[in-house]
C-alpha cells in the first residue's frame, strides 16, 4: 500500500506567543463589552518580567490595561515569581494609539480594513471537520492544561508552557491508518509539589499514559509508534523568560496546521472590520457547511479583498475532486446568495461582541462555541446541490 504522512503542531495557552494572542484578544473583548463599534488592532510583545501592549484602538471607553493584562496572565497560570514572568510583578507597558484616519475613511463606508487573501478549509477526518494532525495536537496541549489546572495531583509538576506535534499516516484514499510519531514538550518544575524529583522518565510515562492515550485513538497507536517526550531532557525554563512572545506568530497553529493555505494575516487583537480575521472565519464557515452538507468531502475556499472596497475581489472554491457539483458553480452560488462584504459577515456571524479571547489558544477552528463553526447553512447547500 502506498502511504503518505503529514505532521502538525500546536502550543499551549502558556506558550509565549499564545500569551500575547490571549492578551490581544482580551483587550478586544474588554472594549467590545462596552463599545461594540470600536476599532481595535492590538498586539503584544512579552519577555522576561514585562509585556508591551501596542497597536491602534479607537474607542469611547477607558481601558484599565494593567488589570486586563494581569488577569489573563493569572488565568493562564503565571503566578509564581520563580518563573520570572508573573501576573503580580511583570511590567505592563502601554504604547496604544488611535487608528489611522486614512484607514478609517475606507472602513467607515463599509469597505474592508485592508487588502489581502483569506482561506477557509474543512474535511471529514474528524467530527470537528478538521484535519486530524492539528486537531489532536490541540487536544494534547489542552489536556496538559486541564490536568495542570483541574487535576494537579495527576502530574504535580506541570508548568504552563507546552508544545505538541502529531504525525499521521494516510492511505492513498485519505484514510488514516496510523500515528507513527507524537512529540510532546511540557515545562515542568525540578521538584513536584510533594517534594519528589521530576525526572524525564517520569514525565515520559505520565505524558504517554495521561495525555497521549486520552487523545489519540487507540487503534491508531502501535508498538512502532515513536514518542518524543521532552526530547532535550529538561524544560524547566519556559514562558516569556525562556523565549520572547509576539502576537500573531502562530498563524498555522491558529488555522489548519499547514494542511490548507494561510493568507498571511494574523487574527488575534483585530476587530472584525479587519478581513484578515472576519473573512477567514467566513471562509471556514462556508467550507465546513459545504462538507457537512455532503457537497464535498474536502473543501478549500479563498476570498480576497481590496482596502476600502466592500465586495470581495475574488472567490475561489476547490473541492479537490470530491464535489458533487463543479467548483465554479459552487463559487457562483456563494457569490450570488451569501453577503461576503465585511458588514454582511459581521452581521451574519454576530461578530461585534466579546467572544474572541477563547479563540486565542487551541485553534480558532474546530470548536462549536464560535459562530463560524455553526452548521446553519447545511440545508441551503443541500437544497442547492442535492
Amino acid at each position: 500500500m502506498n502511504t503518505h504522512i503529514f505532521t502538525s503542531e500546536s502550543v499551549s495557552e502558556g506558550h509565549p506567543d499564545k500569551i500575547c494572542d490571549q492578551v490581544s484578544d482580551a483587550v478586544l473583548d474588554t472594549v467590545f463589552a462596552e463599545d461594540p463599534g470600536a476599532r481595535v488592532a492590538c498586539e503584544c510583545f512579552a519577555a522576561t518580567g514585562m509585556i508591551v501592549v501596542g497597536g491602534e484602538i479607537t474607542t469611547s471607553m477607558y481601558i484599565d490595561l494593567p488589570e486586563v493584562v494581569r488577569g489573563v496572565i493569572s488565568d493562564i497560570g503565571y503566578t509564581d515569581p520563580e518563573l520570572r514572568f508573573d501576573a503580580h510583578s511583570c511590567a505592563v507597558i502601554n504604547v496604544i494609539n488611535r487608528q489611522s484616519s486614512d484607514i478609517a475613511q475606507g472602513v467607515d463606508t463599509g469597505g474592508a480594513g485592508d487588502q489581502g487573501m483569506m482561506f477557509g478549509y474543512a474535511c471529514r477526518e474528524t467530527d470537528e471537520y478538521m484535519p486530524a494532525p492539528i486537531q489532536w495536537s490541540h487536544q494534547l496541549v489542552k489536556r496538559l492544561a486541564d490536568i495542570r489546572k483541574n487535576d494537579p495531583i495527576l502530574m504535580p509538576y506541570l508548568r504552563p508552557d507546552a508544545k505538541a506535534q502529531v504525525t499521521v499516516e494516510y492511505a492513498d484514499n485519505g484514510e488514516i491508518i496510523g500515528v507513527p510519531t507524537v512529540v510532546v514538550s511540557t515545562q515542568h518544575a525540578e521538584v513536584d509539589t510533594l517534594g519528589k524529583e521530576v525526572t524525564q522518565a517520569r514525565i515520559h510515562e505520565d505524558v504517554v499514559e495521561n495525555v497521549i492515550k486520552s487523545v489519540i485513538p487507540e487503534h491508531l497507536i502501535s508498538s512502532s509508534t515513536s514518542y518524543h517526550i521532552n526530547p532535550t531532557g529538561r524544560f524547566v525554563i519556559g514562558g516569556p523568560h525562556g523565549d520572547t512572545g509576539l502576537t500573531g506568530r502562530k498563524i498555522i497553529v491558529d488555522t489548519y496546521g499547514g494542511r490548507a493555505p494561510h493568507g498571511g494575516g494574523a487574527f488575534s487583537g483585530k476587530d472584525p472590520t479587519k478581513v484578515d480575521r472576519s473573512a477567514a472565519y467566513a471562509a471556514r464557515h462556508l467550507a465546513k457547511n459545504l462538507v457537512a452538507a455532503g457537497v464535498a468531502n474536502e473543501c478549500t475556499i479563498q476570498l480576497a479583498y481590496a482596502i476600502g472596497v466592500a465586495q470581495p475581489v475574488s472567490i475561489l472554491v476547490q473541492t479537490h475532486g470530491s464535489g458533487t457539483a463543479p467548483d465554479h458553480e459552487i463559487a457562483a452560488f456563494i457569490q450570488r446568495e451569501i453577503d461576503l462584504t465585511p458588514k454582511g459577515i459581521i452581521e451574519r456571524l454576530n461578530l461585534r461582541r466579546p467572544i474572541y479571547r477563547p479563540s486565542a489558544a487551541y485553534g480558532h477552528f474546530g470548536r462549536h462555541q464560535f459562530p463560524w463553526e455553526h452548521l446553519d447553512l447545511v440545508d441551503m447547500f443541500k437544497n442547492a446541490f442535492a
Side-chain angles (χ1 to χ4, degrees):
M1 181 190 303
N2 291 323
T3 66
H4 65 276
I5 61 174
F6 193 87
T7 301
S8 295
E9 72 150 350
S10 183
V11 299
S12 73
E13 63 197 65
H15 185 280
D17 295 330
K18 280 288 142 201
I19 295 170
C20 293
D21 286 342
Q22 289 167 92
V23 169
S24 294
D25 272 339
V27 171
L28 173 61
D29 281 355
T30 300
V31 172
F32 266 7
E34 292 190 28
D35 184 7
R39 300 279 168 74
V40 179
C42 177
E43 300 184 10
C44 303
F45 168 81
T48 301
M50 63 170 283
I51 185 164
V52 179
V53 185
E56 299 78 44
I57 299 179
T58 302
T59 181
S60 59
M61 68 164 292
Y62 168 74
I63 308 168
D64 188 340
L65 192 66
E67 181 181 20
V68 173
V69 173
R70 296 185 194 283
V72 173
I73 296 170
S74 179
D75 288 349
I76 292 169
Y78 285 101
T79 56
D80 185 350
E82 184 181 341
L83 301 180
R84 307 288 182 89
F85 181 86
D86 73 276
H88 310 296
S89 65
C90 75
V92 179
I93 302 170
N94 182 347
V95 287
I96 294 173
N97 296 298
R98 292 177 62 87
Q99 185 184 69
S100 160
S101 58
D102 291 348
I103 295 175
Q105 68 180 357
V107 179
D108 290 343
T109 58
D114 203 352
Q115 70 176 44
M117 68 284 191
M118 303 83 207
F119 291 90
Y121 178 80
C123 63
R124 293 189 174 276
E125 286 182 22
T126 62
D127 292 341
E128 297 83 5
Y129 297 95
M130 288 287 287
I134 187 64
Q135 191 67 21
W136 293 338
S137 294
H138 287 325
Q139 291 171 357
L140 288 172
V141 286
K142 180 64 163 61
R143 172 68 175 157
L144 283 167
D146 288 344
I147 292 172
R148 175 173 57 86
K149 292 180 171 182
N150 304 321
D151 195 8
I153 296 301
L154 195 61
M155 300 173 69
Y157 49 80
L158 290 176
R159 286 177 170 174
D161 198 356
K163 287 185 173 185
Q165 186 172 281
V166 178
T167 299
V168 174
E169 185 175 13
Y170 297 86
D172 279 349
N173 64 1
E175 178 187 358
I176 296 174
I177 60 176
V179 174
T181 307
V182 180
V183 182
V184 177
S185 294
T186 180
Q187 186 186 13
H188 61 92
E190 293 185 274
V191 178
D192 72 16
T193 56
L194 304 176
K196 295 177 61 177
E197 181 185 2
V198 180
T199 64
Q200 186 184 22
R202 178 183 175 188
I203 296 171
H204 188 285
E205 180 180 358
D206 285 350
V207 168
V208 171
E209 293 299 319
N210 300 321
V211 180
I212 294 174
K213 288 186 177 180
S214 71
V215 171
I216 308 298
E218 183 180 2
H219 71 281
L220 298 177
I221 296 176
S222 70
S223 59
S224 62
T225 298
S226 178
Y227 301 118
H228 298 280
I229 313 300
N230 281 19
T232 66
R234 176 184 167 91
F235 188 3
V236 173
I237 299 172
H241 181 51
D243 192 8
T244 56
L246 192 66
T247 298
R249 198 156 54 181
K250 287 290 178 286
I251 58 176
I252 301 303
V253 170
D254 286 342
T255 53
Y256 308 101
R259 271 283 291 278
H262 193 289
F267 301 155
S268 290
K270 296 179 180 178
D271 76 74
T273 65
K274 310 292 191 299
V275 284
D276 279 341
R277 182 168 218 162
S278 55
Y281 292 167
R284 161 66 177 176
H285 186 225
L286 293 171
K288 183 178 180 180
N289 276 265
L290 283 164
V291 172
V295 180
N297 291 326
E298 182 183 14
C299 184
T300 303
I301 292 180
Q302 186 204 51
L303 305 174
Y305 292 82
I307 187 169
V309 179
Q311 293 290 345
V313 298
S314 70
I315 301 173
L316 172 71
V317 174
Q318 293 179 313
T319 58
H320 309 279
S322 70
T324 62
D327 291 352
H328 70 276
E329 290 186 10
I330 301 172
F333 177 84
I334 290 172
Q335 188 166 22
R336 185 170 64 250
E337 300 294 334
I338 305 293
D339 186 350
L340 290 172
T341 64
K343 181 176 183 291
I345 294 170
I346 290 168
E347 291 180 352
R348 184 172 66 259
L349 299 179
N350 192 14
L351 296 180
R352 285 195 178 277
R353 53 195 174 112
I355 59 173
Y356 296 103
R357 182 181 160 190
S359 73
Y362 312 118
H364 290 248
F365 308 120
R367 289 182 286 164
H368 190 69
Q369 69 198 85
F370 304 123
W372 51 89
E373 293 293 310
H374 294 175
L375 297 176
D376 49 355
L377 302 179
V378 168
D379 289 343
M380 181 186 71
F381 285 136
K382 282 184 176 178
N383 292 334
F385 300 105

